[in-house]
Amino acid sequence: MEEKKAAVKLRDITKTFGSIKANDKVWLDIYRGEILALLGENGSGKTTLMNMLSGIYFPDEGQIFVDDKEVVIRSPKDAFDLGIGMIHQHFKLVDVLTAAENIVLGLKEPGRLDLKAAAKRIRAICDAYGFDVDPNQKIYDMSVSQKQTVEIVKVLYRGADILILDEPTAVLTPQETDKLFAVLRNMRNDGKAIVIITHKMTEVEDLSDRVAILRHGHFVGDMLTKDTNAQEMTNMMVGHPVVLNIERPDPVNPSPRIEVKGLTVRSIDGVVKLEDVSFTARSGEILGIAGISGCGQKELLEAIAGLQVVERGSISYVNDDGSREDLLGKDPLEIAALGVSLSFVPEDRLGMGLVGSMDLTDNMMLRSYRRGKGPFLDRKFPQRRAEWVVEELSVNTPGVSIPVRRLSGGNVQKVLVGREIASAPTVLLTAYAVRGLDIGASYTIYDMINLQKEKGVAVIYVGEGLDVLLELSDRILVLCGGRVSGIVEGRKTNKREVGMMMTRLGGGTGE
């Protein structure tokens, strides 16, 4: 059998940031006609490695070969000239321009820019692989999935036949993910080399042909996907066996804790984000919130925490004795004093939630500074809490006095989520708690959330992956376009039913 020729060979690639070795002498081969899944824990160097291949970073040491010829990639333009294109987690599109204008933006083509000819070529690319893009549609009118499609077409338009996708399904519905996978398979069958960076094992098994694994910046091995399984891949990523199942203990004596009735919320520019939303969150239970990204999940949690202006409706906190307190008249500090804790992991983790220039102890103190007596703050308590979070969630840090901005994104997130869980709430509002976290850290956080539930905390959980939402939640509230599409039992529903409810109103009910 003829030996396959690698489209790309990375040899002894090393990259250091200060005292941290992101990649250490990495060897990796990438083949055409294959989908390669690149796996590893947070901070294992996956994105750094691909950023060097796509021209964003320059390696400190090592060689890159494209079609057996050694190359030097100093910029994304150099990468494009070699047929390499990367689709990043955060899209780089200009909202006020059309799809076609974004796709040709920055290209130096002979003669005047002919948008009609560009649109024709874009349609040809879409027809070849099964994309659904209107070249004349403005980016601001597009869904997340459509924007991602534009990014992929942009790379193909520039002639790339080696494509790298970083967490491509992070904010897609199951139906959108299926569509993307169909397109990626078509591209693979056309002879393109595709690399996906992902944390989702189900997707790795479903889509990839081969898996390569990094651990602490080192390449630890690769194998054909059909010859391995999620457990083996996880053990290789982490370096020791990890239990991959989410316990779902039955709720014990659940009773109403938060009651929301007729909630309507508008954004600053007048767009309705939530319309007539009603539900009850119970103590000792996890209520999952499912919905396409931007369907009002963020506004719902922020309204309960007192961070969002409410146009209409009521939000009540029910005490153990059955008496009620209206949260709408209270400020966030008064709501927090009742035990309502919001752990919201935004895309900009440091812009909201943590202060990058402050160390771990001081960031814990943002939650506990009222414990101090007189003008003096109690520093011992937040320091103990910081040490607990570092220990429990395996935060990769030299110590609790390191500024948070010096930690990797995943470790910043562990600090943020750990702080909220450690504050002993009666209501835990958690959004995107494991966004971008590796599988080991994710399961630690699921265990911590379940522990809160067993302590009688009412947990409202917003997540990106439906698989976990279905495994973790006792009930699931499905939002579609800011309205309640239905409430279903977590133990009795399935991914398809919830996916359909996310894209159209009507479906299961049940308080």
Side-chain angles (χ1 to χ4, degrees), residues 99-100 103 117-137 142 145-158 179-180 182-184 186-187 190 192:
I103 287 164
K120 191 176 172 188
R121 207 173 130 202
I122 290 163
R123 286 198 178 96
I125 291 170
C126 292
D127 292 345
Y129 299 114
F131 288 111
D132 182 17
V133 170
D134 174 1
N136 302 316
Q137 189 177 357
M142 292 186 176
S145 161
Q146 288 172 307
K147 288 177 186 174
Q148 184 184 60
T149 304
V150 172
E151 286 280 27
I152 297 171
V153 174
K154 186 167 81 174
V155 165
L156 293 171
Y157 189 93
R158 284 158 164 72
K179 249 163 90 174
L180 173 66
V183 168
L184 293 178
N186 288 343
M187 286 160 57
D190 192 40
K192 301 210 178 299

Side-chain angles (χ1 to χ4, degrees), residues 243-246 438-448 471:
V243 179
L244 289 186
N245 62 336
I246 299 174
D438 58 69
I439 199 156
S442 299
Y443 277 82
T444 304
I445 285 176
Y446 303 146
D447 288 344
M448 290 173 89
E471 267 191 85

